[in-house]
Amino acid sequence: MSFPILSSILLAPVLGILLILFIPQKEDKLIKIVAAIATGLTVLLSLIIYANYDQSIGGLQFVENIPWIDDLGVTYGLGVDGISLPLVLLTALVIFTGVFASWGLEKRVKEFFIFLLALVAGVFGVFLTTDLFFFYLFFEIAVIPMYILIGVWGSTNKEYSAMKLTIYLLVGSAFALIAVIAVYLYTGLGTFDIQTLTQQTYDIGFQKFAFFLLMIGFGFLVPMWPFHTWSPDGHVAAPTAVSMLHAGVLMKLGGYGLIRAGIFIFPEGARFWAPVIGILCIVNVVYGAMVAMSQKDLKFVIGYSSVSHMGYVLLGVASLNTLSISGAVAQMFAHGIMTALFFALVGNVYNKAHTRMIADFGGLAHQMPRIAAGFVIAGLASLGLPGLVNFVAEFAIFVGSFRVYPVLTILAISGIVITAVYVLRVVQNVFFGPRNPKWDELEDVRGIELVPIVILCGVLLFLGFFPSFLMELINNGVDPFVQQYLTTPKVGGMF
Amino acid sequence: MIESIGIKYIWLVPLAPLLAFILITFLFKRFKLLSALTAIFSMVVSLILTLDILRVILTGHEITMNTPVEMAVPWLNMNGLYIEMGALIDPLTAGMLFVVTFISLLIMIYSVGYMHGDPGFSRFFSYLALFVFSMLGLVIANNYFQMFVFWELVGLSSYLLIGFYFYKDSAAQANKKAFITNRVADFGFMIGVIILFLYFGTFNFLELAEGISASSDLAFLTLAGILVFIGPIGKSGQFPLHVWLPDAMEGPTPVSALIHAATMVAAGVFLLARGFILFVSAPATITFIAYLGGFTAFFAATIAITQRDFKRILAFSTLSQLGYMVMAIGLGSLTAGMFHLTTHAFFKALMFLCAGSVIHALHKQDIFEMGGVFKKMKITGTTMIIGGLAIAGIPPFAGFWSKDEILLVAKTNGFTLLYVLASVTAFLTAFYMFRLIFLAFFGEKRSDYHAHESPLTMTIPLMILAVFSIFGGLIGAPFVEHGFSSYVYFGEAHHPQPDYMVMGSSTLIAAAGIFLAWLVYIKKAISAEKIANQFAPLYKFLYNKWYIDEIYQWFFNKVVLSISALLNWCDRNIVDGIAHGIAWVIRTTGAKGRYIHTGSLQTYGLVIFAAVVVIVLFLAGPVVGGVQ
């Protein structure tokens, strides 16, 4: 067996935790450096995997399989393909930049980074594992630190939000768990291996039943309307790095699960339920954007904009073709980077100004030109401007979905207009206008604070100009599944 | 293969300004003069390459509208989506490239003087370079996708430049308005591009042209044509999406000249020319385009006669002239539309730069506070008059030839109503333009100002543009053989025959407009105030721009924001309320049996797990039974 590079990604944060455990609390600089190195390592490893992933072969690569619980058929199985690799890369980038965004943290630094690294280890596990049992396990590993991180280090209504988030996520995962156990019992093969389960055929009644559970379960995570209210509250309450991970990565677990465990294992069930997702996702897109327009707190704007943007992911999933699903995966990546950038910027403003109310600001571009530039770039990504990767992802979703649900897709495209309205209003009200002397003592970002902004903006721009580096990998991962399991393209009927 | 450096290195035409943008933004920001020189140098490179392409086209006769040169590289290759970035070189591209690079170069030189002393000097040049990159990428595009991408990017540069003085509330308001209005239009454009792609399987202009000419699905072509046309309605400021352009005058004046008069706003017309076959194959689409253009021309001119702000009058004049171009395309003459685009670019850029020169000197924009400026600013005044004569359509100035061709097409193609409307508009044009000139440059000084002629970096571009405004129209004059129409056309070259009826009447109409302006504002034989008072409701209606902005404002504030607030309330009280209700039920039930609740997370986990197992057994029981 070759070098277990995927396990190394998983272990890097764990190693970080172990090291931090032995560092005294007051050495917070050192703790941060260790966290930065541990997460930097994950970025490096995922880039190495990206460079060595052989697209001409495709499929799962860097596979590791260790039997875990023989009696149950649980295997510690890891592997990446064109769908999970971009999300692994996303996780690594977001957590690495998230550490730098938490550089100014002073409260209980040691515990904070321990929980943060535990959280991210769980998230990596979800994307890396090829076994449904571990998929579920890693997900639960991610939820608990999230609860603690928000409950202890959060702001604005943090106990309520932390509890709400945890309950929603656990209820969602309970639905998914039922489906997992059901499929395990149904096949009777005694395995949780996703690939094996994907190759089985299931009778249509069971498919409808199982997909429904997954749709609701992962719908909680995405979050699909009307299960979304935990997410804006959670975003707002969470400390910066956790917001970044939460909106940037954790929500993507839902979309990823829906694709990997939902439509690939139960294609007929997916075809049955897809129109429901199609309609709910339009509610996500349009309703989310309209609600975002009314928000007064910057973080709530971004929170609802995430609800709106994840609607595009659901639209891509519901359309069940290579292009739309690839677009959905790309949109998860693009949105993850963009929203992490947003939260990093807002976190920075909040740390210095101690408010996030839009009405308190105005003319901030005078004092914080770099923050303003970063915010404009994130905003433009959010409204789908060409030159930033979000546009390519959205465009792929639109083209892929249009032939399936023309009416719904047109409604979804209208989302880009509404997004432009609320994003540009925020930009205008916060950053433009006359200089406000009240904020004269605010300092612009510099030095280490710049790291997240530069990296995340760089990724958005680079992949915006050269999208083939991302899109063709994803296409390569999605296409074989679609060719094999989802050959009939038309599912929408009148929509 | 045709030997040409310009064609071989055509990718450098847009990339040179992009490089300049990157260099200025990341390296030269502190060095003002170096920033300006970098931008100017990149423009010189692009212009030289463009001139070489023009040389090949004018001398070689190998590249025509029907035998273009195309090159492309794959940009994205997915199952179901293949996208290229490329260049399509034909006389249409070459002509537009020349207009953009040449005017950009002049305006950058002018800006060195105009922006002198501005703290954002380098930022200004970096944005300008970004704009030129986007615009040139749009012009050379060989497919709709690329067109759309750069279409959005010119929108971005426009946004950045309108908001250049971001510390002014009005500028921050105007750039948002511009972007959102264009977004509404791009919504239609994007859907149009997507359905074209899904129907024909390609974005490529040439392949689409083949598909469209072979297609007989009129309903589809009409729909696609209208949807794509919505894009130009926004970008080229056609009614009812024109509202952003007058407000865009909040940007620095060189920007108004380059982007919001000469080049970017003409991108809509260029798109109509580039995708001409799509529009012309559906009679309903092309007729709609013609009437919308004609109406916009008239509509904007009626507003222009009442405005007081130097730049806003020019902005409404731009809208009106864009209406002419769109109408020309709608009348089926790509040649006339593009010809007017070209001459308009010269004389409108000229007039905006004159406006900049005056504003730079006086620090005033209201023409009623000016008067007698000509005595202090001879070069600016003279060149402004040349621009005025050109737009009014006095022979032999540039606008005369191009406007005449449009009138001629309207007449020969039997669109009598549009011919009349365009003639009335021509009268209004001559009137409002000379109202502006007489009020600002002649008569007595009406307020306290200190004027002086602008520096040479500003006046030299004025003089060059003035030359083009005088003689530029001759390239398309009907008595010139191998003129504009023998290069830029659709299908077959169509050489216009001089129609002395049209020429004579249009000259008379223009002269009458100027004469009326002279009577009112110089001779004061007619009192403008009296007429305004007599027709007060009409005057107010025109002065308030037909109240279109107010309608939109009302719609946004009352309708959109109310819906938004309502949904926000629902989210907090209904969607969340139900969740809270469920939580309450559980809590109340829990209170009754709280002794089983230990308060530890592990117990809860255990309960959840147990519940899950029970549910699974319940639901999956029959299924499992069946398997065994």
Side-chain angles (χ1 to χ4, degrees):
Chain A
M1 201 167 125
S2 57
F3 178 69
I5 189 160
L6 297 185
S7 289
S8 314
I9 291 191
L10 211 47
L11 285 175
V14 178
L15 199 67
I17 295 174
L18 290 177
L19 281 174
I20 290 173
L21 278 175
F22 293 108
I23 300 173
Q25 174 74 272
K26 60 179 193 294
E27 297 281 341
D28 55 345
K29 197 103 199 162
L30 188 61
I31 292 171
K32 288 167 187 165
I33 291 171
V34 169
I37 292 172
T39 54
L41 210 55
T42 64
V43 176
L44 198 67
L45 289 169
S46 22
L47 285 174
I48 292 173
I49 295 170
Y50 176 84
N52 288 304
Y53 182 86
D54 190 342
Q55 289 201 39
S56 60
I57 301 171
L60 284 176
Q61 295 182 18
F62 306 96
V63 175
E64 298 168 29
N65 273 317
I66 303 168
W68 202 258
I69 312 175
D70 275 336
D71 294 343
L72 285 175
V74 176
T75 313
Y76 170 81
L78 302 182
V80 286
D81 66 0
I83 304 172
S84 49
L85 182 48
L87 297 171
V88 171
L89 201 57
L90 168 72
T91 312
L93 284 168
V94 170
I95 184 62
F96 180 62
T97 52
V99 168
F100 286 98
S102 320
W103 214 255
L105 187 88
E106 282 160 9
K107 178 184 172 188
R108 293 177 174 271
V109 177
K110 182 169 169 174
E111 289 85 351
F112 178 84
F113 281 99
I114 289 176
F115 285 117
L116 193 65
L117 291 175
L119 164 60
V120 83
V123 177
F124 273 125
V126 174
F127 291 133
L128 289 172
T129 186
T130 56
D131 187 278
L132 270 184
F133 183 87
F134 270 95
F135 184 91
Y136 186 79
L137 185 73
F138 280 125
F139 176 72
E140 299 295 315
I141 290 178
V143 172
I144 302 306
M146 183 71 107
Y147 171 75
I148 298 165
L149 283 164
I150 297 177
V152 177
W153 287 271
S155 57
T156 327
N157 226 349
K158 58 187 180 184
E159 286 87 4
Y160 165 77
S161 304
M163 183 52 86
K164 187 174 184 178
L165 174 137
T166 312
I167 291 175
Y168 267 77
L169 292 184
L170 288 181
V171 170
S173 66
F175 276 96
L177 180 62
I178 301 171
V180 168
I181 297 175
V183 69
Y184 178 78
L185 296 176
Y186 179 91
T187 58
L189 294 173
T191 180
F192 286 101
D193 181 55
I194 297 176
Q195 240 180 342
T196 317
L197 295 175
T198 307
Q199 285 153 2
Q200 307 304 312
T201 46
Y202 304 87
D203 105 333
I204 180 86
F206 181 75
Q207 291 215 21
K208 286 179 187 170
F209 161 73
F211 189 85
F212 174 76
L213 290 175
L214 291 176
M215 177 176 84
I216 301 295
F218 291 125
F220 269 90
L221 306 191
V222 168
M224 183 165 70
W225 192 90
F227 310 127
H228 65 281
T229 54
W230 62 272
S231 93
D233 283 331
H235 286 356
V236 171
T240 302
V242 180
S243 296
M244 289 167 72
L245 261 180
H246 175 223
V249 187
L250 206 74
M251 288 160 89
K252 278 69 194 174
L253 299 182
Y256 177 72
L258 208 50
I259 294 171
R260 177 75 84 195
I263 55 184
F264 289 160
I265 301 186
F266 308 113
E268 290 303 320
R271 192 163 297 147
F272 180 78
W273 290 108
V276 175
I277 303 181
I279 289 169
L280 289 180
C281 78
I282 299 306
V283 180
N284 263 62
V285 170
V286 177
Y287 172 102
M290 288 301 280
V291 175
M293 208 184 285
S294 278
Q295 300 310 312
K296 298 181 170 63
D297 182 321
L298 271 176
K299 270 191 157 185
F300 265 116
V301 177
I302 306 164
Y304 277 102
S305 105
S306 290
V307 172
S308 174
H309 282 89
M310 290 306 283
Y312 293 131
V313 173
L314 289 171
L315 178 65
V317 169
S319 304
L320 299 177
N321 60 60
T322 303
L323 188 57
S324 73
I325 297 173
S326 305
V329 177
Q331 170 74 354
M332 288 199 268
F333 180 90
H335 175 260
I337 299 285
M338 180 264 291
T339 208
L341 174 60
F342 261 135
F343 280 119
L345 293 161
V346 172
N348 230 304
V349 173
Y350 182 65
N351 285 343
K352 290 169 180 169
H354 305 292
T355 174
R356 293 186 306 252
M357 291 298 153
I358 295 167
D360 291 345
F361 295 113
L364 220 53
H366 293 276
Q367 292 91 353
M368 304 180 127
R370 288 173 181 161
I371 294 252
F375 201 92
V376 168
I377 291 177
L380 294 172
S382 171
L383 55 80
L385 192 88
L388 298 151
V389 62
N390 306 61
F391 163 73
V392 190
E394 284 168 18
F395 194 81
I397 294 174
F398 295 152
V399 175
S401 304
F402 203 95
R403 65 180 103 214
V404 188
Y405 311 102
V407 176
L408 295 180
T409 307
I410 289 173
L411 288 172
I413 297 177
S414 77
I416 65 170
V417 180
I418 312 176
T419 308
V421 174
Y422 71 76
V423 166
L424 295 183
R425 286 185 86 206
V426 168
V427 169
Q428 180 201 348
N429 292 330
V430 173
F431 294 103
F432 295 161
R435 188 186 187 99
N436 185 347
K438 182 176 155 196
W439 301 119
D440 271 353
E441 83 283 7
L442 292 193
E443 278 183 14
D444 201 4
V445 281
R446 59 199 162 93
I448 212 133
E449 294 171 323
L450 269 172
V451 173
I453 300 170
V454 170
I455 291 181
L456 298 171
C457 285
V459 172
L460 289 178
L461 283 163
F462 177 79
L463 290 175
F465 277 87
F466 307 102
S468 56
F469 285 101
L470 175 71
M471 304 298 285
E472 287 173 13
L473 170 70
I474 296 173
N475 181 72
N476 188 292
V478 173
D479 202 38
F481 286 104
V482 175
Q483 297 303 337
Q484 201 168 349
Y485 304 110
L486 289 164
T487 35
T488 21
K490 186 78 182 169
V491 294
M494 58 180 287
F495 300 108
Chain B
M1 190 62 205
I2 301 147
E3 277 300 312
S4 161
I5 293 175
I7 292 174
K8 197 172 168 195
Y9 294 106
I10 181 146
W11 45 270
L12 205 55
V13 174
L15 287 187
L18 176 66
L19 193 66
F21 166 72
I22 294 170
L23 285 176
I24 297 170
T25 309
F26 294 107
L27 291 177
F28 301 161
K29 201 143 203 175
R30 286 147 188 264
F31 313 103
K32 293 189 169 185
L33 196 60
L34 185 61
S35 298
L37 288 178
T38 311
I40 290 172
F41 178 73
S42 76
M43 241 32 270
V44 172
V45 172
S46 299
L47 181 61
I48 289 172
L49 293 170
T50 302
L51 288 174
D52 190 59
I53 296 171
L54 267 184
R55 173 189 65 80
V56 172
I57 287 175
L58 293 177
T59 58
H61 300 289
E62 284 163 28
I63 303 175
T64 68
M65 291 300 284
N66 296 322
T67 53
V69 172
E70 191 186 12
M71 50 190 92
V73 289
W75 189 65
L76 185 59
N77 188 5
M78 295 169 73
N79 184 357
L81 186 66
Y82 177 71
I83 300 173
E84 286 181 336
M85 287 288 154
L88 182 66
I89 304 166
D90 62 9
L92 176 65
T93 313
M96 195 70 189
L97 281 182
F98 175 72
V99 169
V100 175
T101 50
F102 179 68
I103 295 183
S104 300
L105 177 62
L106 289 181
I107 284 176
M108 283 183 181
I109 294 169
Y110 176 93
S111 303
V112 175
Y114 186 85
M115 299 303 288
H116 180 78
D118 192 294
F121 189 86
S122 296
R123 185 164 58 96
F124 180 80
F125 279 91
S126 76
Y127 289 171
L128 269 193
L130 177 67
F131 164 73
V132 183
F133 155 69
S134 319
M135 188 68 202
L136 294 173
L138 184 155
V139 172
I140 64 170
N142 74 328
N143 64 72
Y144 268 110
F145 182 86
Q146 184 181 351
M147 182 74 105
F148 182 79
V149 165
F150 285 99
W151 182 271
E152 293 279 295
L153 290 180
V154 289
L156 167 68
S157 358
S158 165
Y159 171 79
L160 293 172
L161 283 161
I162 297 170
F164 182 77
Y165 303 122
F166 64 89
Y167 41 84
K168 280 168 47 185
D169 275 327
S170 52
Q173 191 70 30
N175 71 346
K176 186 186 70 177
K177 184 171 175 181
F179 199 99
I180 292 172
T181 313
N182 275 293
R183 256 288 138 136
V184 173
D186 297 344
F187 167 62
F189 184 18
M190 189 179 194
I191 296 173
V193 170
I194 289 176
I195 66 171
L196 275 176
F197 176 74
L198 291 176
Y199 194 92
F200 293 107
T202 178
F203 292 113
N204 186 286
F205 287 124
L206 300 179
E207 290 169 19
L208 275 175
E210 274 176 37
I212 290 169
S213 54
S215 166
S216 55
D217 189 345
L218 198 58
F220 173 79
L221 291 179
T222 309
L223 179 69
I226 300 269
L227 283 170
V228 172
F229 176 54
I230 294 176
I233 292 179
K235 193 122 299 183
S236 290
Q238 299 299 292
F239 180 86
L241 296 181
H242 61 279
V243 289
W244 66 274
L245 187 60
D247 290 18
M249 299 301 127
E250 289 295 336
T253 305
V255 170
S256 310
L258 177 63
I259 301 184
H260 303 115
T263 57
M264 185 192 81
V265 289
V269 180
F270 178 77
L271 170 64
L272 292 179
R274 175 57 80 209
F276 193 66
I277 186 162
L278 172 65
F279 309 106
V280 85
S281 25
T285 315
I286 198 82
T287 315
F288 175 62
I289 294 175
Y291 280 97
L292 191 70
F295 176 72
T296 305
F298 171 74
F299 161 82
T302 62
I303 298 173
I305 56 175
T306 61
Q307 300 301 305
R308 303 168 62 100
D309 184 298
F310 201 133
K311 284 177 73 180
R312 274 180 190 253
I313 295 171
L314 291 180
F316 281 104
S317 151
T318 305
L319 289 175
S320 176
Q321 299 298 312
L322 287 165
Y324 272 112
M325 297 170 212
V326 170
M327 182 178 88
I329 302 269
L331 293 169
S333 179
L334 186 160
T335 311
M338 286 308 295
F339 183 31
H340 197 57
L341 186 157
T342 311
T343 59
H344 174 259
F346 293 122
F347 61 70
K348 189 51 71 62
L350 168 63
M351 286 194 282
F352 264 111
L353 295 188
C354 290
S357 178
V358 171
I359 294 165
H360 188 68
L362 272 64
H363 301 290
K364 286 184 196 306
Q365 302 212 117
D366 187 339
I367 51 172
F368 284 88
E369 293 178 12
M370 295 179 183
V373 175
F374 190 84
K375 273 175 270 172
K376 307 275 182 179
M377 305 178 76
K378 289 256 169 29
I379 302 174
T380 305
T382 312
T383 51
M384 182 71 194
I385 292 169
I386 292 170
L389 292 169
I391 195 175
I394 298 293
F397 293 91
F400 167 75
W401 304 106
S402 54
K403 192 184 286 182
D404 242 39
E405 206 174 313
I406 297 174
L407 291 173
L408 183 64
V409 176
K411 190 177 163 226
T412 48
N413 291 8
F415 288 85
T416 317
L417 176 65
L418 285 178
Y419 177 71
V420 173
L421 200 61
S423 301
V424 173
T425 306
F427 173 78
L428 294 175
T429 308
F431 174 76
Y432 69 66
M433 201 44 78
F434 276 84
R435 167 180 176 265
L436 167 79
I437 290 172
F438 290 144
L439 279 174
F441 289 92
F442 297 96
E444 75 281 12
K445 200 168 160 181
R446 279 185 302 274
S447 76
D448 188 30
Y449 65 76
H450 302 281
H452 53 85
E453 188 54 277
S454 297
L456 277 181
T457 53
M458 290 168 71
T459 48
I460 287 174
L462 289 185
M463 291 186 267
I464 296 173
L465 283 170
V467 172
F468 276 81
S469 301
I470 300 172
F471 301 109
L474 297 177
I475 55 165
F479 52 81
V480 175
E481 287 210 32
H482 302 298
F484 193 81
S485 61
S486 49
Y487 292 98
V488 179
Y489 52 82
F490 175 73
E492 295 277 307
H494 180 81
H495 196 67
Q497 295 307 312
D499 182 326
Y500 295 103
M501 261 300 292
V502 174
M503 283 190 188
S505 65
S506 83
T507 309
L508 273 180
I509 286 169
I514 297 172
F515 180 66
L516 182 66
W518 180 79
L519 277 182
V520 178
Y521 296 103
I522 296 290
K523 192 92 164 80
K524 301 203 189 300
I526 307 168
S527 160
E529 285 83 36
K530 245 182 210 161
I531 298 175
N533 287 333
Q534 207 164 0
F535 299 97
L538 179 67
Y539 176 77
K540 274 184 79 177
F541 180 68
L542 295 180
Y543 185 74
N544 289 303
K545 303 167 263 178
W546 296 37
Y547 294 104
I548 309 281
D549 291 77
E550 281 74 10
I551 294 170
Y552 288 164
Q553 199 63 46
W554 175 86
F555 178 76
F556 183 75
N557 287 342
K558 297 288 171 196
V559 181
V560 177
L561 286 184
S562 302
I563 294 175
S564 166
L566 177 72
L567 291 179
N568 188 33
W569 183 87
C570 285
D571 203 57
R572 283 288 144 206
N573 295 290
I574 296 181
V575 180
D576 233 13
I578 292 171
H580 285 155
I582 294 171
W584 179 83
V585 170
I586 294 170
R587 226 183 6 253
T588 332
T589 331
K592 307 285 178 199
R594 66 189 314 165
Y595 56 89
I596 59 161
H597 284 232
T598 59
S600 82
L601 212 57
Q602 291 93 322
T603 319
Y604 294 138
L606 199 65
V607 171
I608 289 175
F609 187 74
V612 163
V613 171
V614 170
I615 295 170
V616 166
L617 289 179
F618 177 70
L619 292 171
V623 182
V624 179
V627 173
Q628 286 163 350

